[in-house]
Amino acid sequence: MTVDGERRDLLPGRSLAAALIGADLPVTRHDRAGRPRAPFCAMGVCFECALTVDGVPLVRACHEPVRAGMTVQTGRGPHAASTAASTAAGREERT
């Protein structure tokens, strides 16, 4: 599978959240202030583990099983820093 453009070998059948944590990739997204977020409830209630899987946004990693060929975009990708910076800049302009 691919995580943020890098090939990763994660164990199939585990939840994506557990596999990412096991691969030392716990950040799944950034909030509007640019702070990193990671799985919290592991039940699909909090949406802290939401990421993009195969182009579908807001997939809950705690409910999504790892499977061969997945393309995952987390908050660690190359666009995350620019998104966080533009969000923070927009917040500063409003204050």
Side-chain angles (χ1 to χ4, degrees), residues 28-82:
T28 53
R29 67 179 189 87
H30 287 79
D31 66 14
R32 290 183 179 180
R35 295 175 297 225
R37 309 306 293 170
F40 181 69
C41 74
M43 298 184 317
V45 177
C46 71
F47 279 81
E48 292 297 318
C49 67
L51 39 68
T52 301
V53 176
D54 297 330
V56 178
L58 297 176
V59 174
R60 291 172 287 177
C62 65
H63 280 217
E64 189 70 21
V66 171
R67 57 186 183 283
M70 290 177 95
T71 300
V72 177
Q73 292 174 309
T74 73
R76 294 185 105 158
H79 71 287
S82 63

Side-chain angles (χ1 to χ4, degrees), residues 29-35 79-95:
R29 67 179 189 87
H30 287 79
D31 66 14
R32 290 183 179 180
R35 295 175 297 225
H79 71 287
S82 63
T83 301
S86 65
T87 301
R91 188 179 65 252
E92 288 173 9
E93 288 175 7
R94 289 189 298 267
T95 58

